[in-house]
Amino acid sequence: MTRAATATVGERCPQCSTATVAAAGSDVPWCPGCEFGLDTYDPSTAPWRGTRWLSRWGYRRAFHLDDELRSQLVVDPSSAALRRSGETALMAVSALITIVSLACFVGVVLVWSRTDWVPPAKFFASVGLVLLGIWTRPRFGRLPRSLKKVPADQAPALRGLIREVASAVGTSEPDVLVLLADEVNMAVTRVGVRGRSVLVIGIPLWLLLTPEMRVAVLAHELGHLNNRDPLRATLTRPATAIFASAVDWTGGHNPWRRLGDRLDRADDDSFATMLFRLLLAAVNTIFASVQLAIDAVAAPDHRRAEYAADLASREAAGSTATIAALDRLTFLDDLVKALVHDVVTKAPTDWVTLAERRQAALQDQLLVRRQASRRGSDLWATHPPNGCRAALIEALPVVPGTVPVDPEHGARVDAELRHWYASTHREILGARDFLG
Ligand SMILES: [Zn+2]
Ligand SMILES: [Zn+2]
């Protein structure tokens, strides 16, 4: 996430003499004219990954990957589907992990079939094998219970729009639709052994998008389904989740901070207890490091998949709507903040007008904001910076899109979602009261 605002630093660019700028609260400038210095690591805007060295490496690697992918995709957009070597390696590792899991359960049967082992030995060997088998089991993902599926007979107009966009990007309607009152986000995933596809629409984001942008964001998500990204995520999950779960089992993230807090509070802990906690924190750090390394292997393919989904969005919604949607995301923090102030007097269906107005007032900062989004580059981020994504679509020929926007249909969607809109309104009013 980028800082909300940028300021002029005052120095002149040594290459083109343009006045340099920096993110708010930062003193690491870049030139908005020729982007000189934009690739400099800025610890105040790049995500923190445990150590400065790692954070800087993740930043530089991501920055370089974005440049590389963008220059490839501009020349040949169809190459977005190619070269998934990291994913292939992770699928192979996942297959091995699954075999280990199966072998563990077979091992339990073998242990109990032995006649030369005493029962306690059989018991402890079985417990060890079962735990290892559970840890290495295939993981199919599931919907958190708190997420409510929209019943199949509800929201027919929205489902009609989703079907239309899905067919434009070459896929079918998702099996499950989930609407969230409090998420400024949209996503697709696959869950369960059957791999049912799920589309999640965060109503607060939906309400800040124009009808054209809604088509663009839907096309991006459904483009992931067409490109089989959620299926790939399932097939690589044994490798990508195994150490993440080990991190959870050993206490979760920030083990050293937790240990420090514990040391401050627990004077009566025995030496043995403290030693155990120290060991647990060390093991947790090893697991977390392995997890980061695995995720780093997956990251280039993941980035490519995001650009590929943007290209699907360009085809279905057209270049203009795709770029507009990405720029809306670039300004999203400002728009949400502004909304929190106006939310009492304005109905949810007016929020998009508020967003349009607020963004129009900020539009002269667009170029700098797009650049600033790159200062938050991170190899482990779920998406490349919005500025890079918009720049890729802008560098390609303008296409009109294939999904027509019908205002009447849009009004029907708004009408049938009014209960969800009302709960989002309540959520934001609650957040506003909380913020004071
Ligand atoms: Zn310059
Ligand atoms: Zn995406």
Side-chain angles (χ1 to χ4, degrees), residues 13 16 31 34:
C13 168
C16 72
C31 168
C34 66

Side-chain angles (χ1 to χ4, degrees), residues 220-221 224 305-306 309 382-383 389:
H220 173 98
E221 297 306 335
H224 278 306
E306 290 304 331
T382 56
H383 288 78
R389 297 169 61 191

Side-chain angles (χ1 to χ4, degrees), residues 195-230:
R196 284 177 311 148
S197 53
V198 182
L199 171 66
V200 181
I201 299 179
I203 296 294
L205 176 61
W206 182 256
L207 285 168
L208 294 175
L209 300 176
T210 63
E212 292 80 6
M213 292 174 189
R214 289 175 179 178
V215 171
V217 179
L218 282 175
H220 173 98
E221 297 306 335
L222 297 165
H224 278 306
L225 278 186
N226 185 46
N227 298 339
R228 306 210 175 129
D229 297 327

Side-chain angles (χ1 to χ4, degrees), residues 12-20 30-37:
R12 295 271 157 192
C13 168
Q15 286 194 349
C16 72
S17 298
T18 307
T20 58
W30 76 88
C31 168
C34 66
E35 298 196 352
F36 177 78

Side-chain angles (χ1 to χ4, degrees), residues 306-384:
E306 290 304 331
Y307 286 117
D310 286 338
L311 295 175
S313 172
R314 169 179 172 261
E315 295 287 327
S319 305
T320 311
T322 302
I323 294 167
L326 288 166
D327 286 339
R328 176 112 331 162
L329 296 180
T330 298
F331 285 110
L332 199 60
D333 284 356
D334 299 81
L335 303 180
V336 170
K337 261 185 227 145
L339 184 70
V340 167
H341 288 283
D342 291 326
V343 75
V344 175
T345 51
K346 299 288 181 188
T349 42
D350 293 331
W351 293 355
V352 66
T353 316
L354 291 175
E356 291 279 287
R357 231 179 274 152
R358 176 81 186 128
Q359 194 175 328
L362 296 167
Q363 204 64 13
D364 58 336
Q365 295 180 22
L366 178 62
L367 179 75
V368 173
R369 289 298 192 91
R370 280 190 189 172
Q371 293 169 345
S373 75
R374 298 201 70 183
R375 276 290 176 85
S377 291
D378 175 36
L379 187 62
W380 297 278
T382 56
H383 288 78

Side-chain angles (χ1 to χ4, degrees), residues 108-361:
V108 174
V109 178
L110 291 179
V111 162
W112 286 97
S113 65
R114 290 192 74 113
T115 48
D116 53 340
W117 285 26
V118 292
K122 288 182 180 180
F123 173 77
F124 286 113
S126 307
V127 169
L129 285 169
V130 166
L131 285 178
L132 187 61
I134 291 175
W135 185 40
T136 51
R137 75 193 185 281
R139 293 154 205 263
F140 296 104
R142 61 173 178 208
L143 271 189
R145 246 172 237 166
S146 55
L147 296 192
K148 295 270 178 290
K149 294 179 214 166
V150 179
D153 58 345
Q154 282 187 25
L158 176 61
R159 286 178 195 278
L161 176 64
I162 293 168
R163 255 195 312 276
E164 199 176 353
V165 178
S167 97
V169 300
T171 188
S172 47
E173 183 185 358
D175 302 316
V176 177
L177 174 63
V178 173
L179 299 177
L180 292 179
D182 54 356
E183 285 279 329
V184 191
N185 193 15
M186 281 200 220
V188 281
T189 184
R190 283 194 181 272
V191 293
V193 181
R194 283 184 294 150
R196 284 177 311 148
S197 53
V198 182
L199 171 66
V200 181
I201 299 179
I203 296 294
L205 176 61
W206 182 256
L207 285 168
L208 294 175
L209 300 176
T210 63
E212 292 80 6
M213 292 174 189
R214 289 175 179 178
V215 171
V217 179
L218 282 175
H220 173 98
E221 297 306 335
L222 297 165
H224 278 306
L225 278 186
N226 185 46
N227 298 339
R228 306 210 175 129
D229 297 327
L231 176 67
R232 285 197 186 92
T234 306
L235 294 178
T236 54
R237 195 168 291 130
T240 55
I242 186 167
F243 286 98
S245 71
V247 170
D248 289 342
W249 284 12
T250 50
H253 292 288
N254 299 320
W256 300 103
R257 190 183 304 158
R258 246 191 341 272
L259 187 69
D261 291 349
R262 195 70 217 182
L263 279 173
D264 287 345
R265 281 184 281 116
D267 297 333
D268 48 351
D269 275 359
S270 69
F271 177 72
T273 311
M274 283 326 296
L275 196 66
F276 172 74
R277 290 189 199 287
L278 196 72
L279 271 175
L280 197 67
V283 169
N284 178 293
T285 306
I286 293 169
F287 286 150
S289 309
V290 177
Q291 183 61 49
L292 269 180
I294 291 173
D295 290 345
V297 172
D301 291 335
H302 190 86
R303 263 181 142 71
R304 187 183 286 274
E306 290 304 331
Y307 286 117
D310 286 338
L311 295 175
S313 172
R314 169 179 172 261
E315 295 287 327
S319 305
T320 311
T322 302
I323 294 167
L326 288 166
D327 286 339
R328 176 112 331 162
L329 296 180
T330 298
F331 285 110
L332 199 60
D333 284 356
D334 299 81
L335 303 180
V336 170
K337 261 185 227 145
L339 184 70
V340 167
H341 288 283
D342 291 326
V343 75
V344 175
T345 51
K346 299 288 181 188
T349 42
D350 293 331
W351 293 355
V352 66
T353 316
L354 291 175
E356 291 279 287
R357 231 179 274 152
R358 176 81 186 128
Q359 194 175 328

